[in-house]
Amino acid sequence: MTIEEPISEAAVNRTAKALGTPNVHGQKAAVTSFVVGRFITRGLPVDLSGNPKGALHHPGQAAEVCARADLAELVAADMSVKTNTTGT
């Protein structure tokens, strides 16, 4: 699934806070929408819409994903994917 609509800033910020690295306004973000987009691609939050161009998730799903014991490992794996695809 390709996510073309903006990903909730609240989900991004909740993920950053759960990792102990909250995003601070005006500073470089510790967690970006890329990470939450990868969670969506993995099917961790269940898509509640039938719209193939975007996604709709219940707010509680972000809390469930952020409560996972392996959250840091998931993010690290996703960042590895980003690094390998962008060459940075």
Side-chain angles (χ1 to χ4, degrees):
M1 171 184 203
T2 301
I3 306 300
E4 296 178 7
E5 294 181 3
I7 292 176
S8 164
E9 184 177 350
V12 171
N13 289 335
R14 177 173 277 184
T15 303
K17 187 175 180 180
L19 290 167
T21 57
N23 288 338
V24 177
H25 182 70
Q27 296 181 8
K28 184 176 178 181
V31 174
T32 65
S33 60
F34 173 82
V35 171
V36 177
R38 292 290 300 155
F39 290 165
I40 293 168
T41 300
R42 288 174 181 226
L44 295 175
V46 178
D47 187 6
L48 302 175
S49 78
N51 182 356
K53 293 184 178 182
L56 174 66
H57 302 96
H58 186 280
Q61 291 185 86
E64 289 179 24
V65 172
C66 290
R68 291 178 59 127
D70 63 344
L71 180 63
E73 290 82 11
L74 287 172
V75 172
D78 290 336
M79 295 313 294
S80 174
V81 168
K82 184 176 182 179
T83 301
N84 290 336
T85 59
T86 63
T88 57

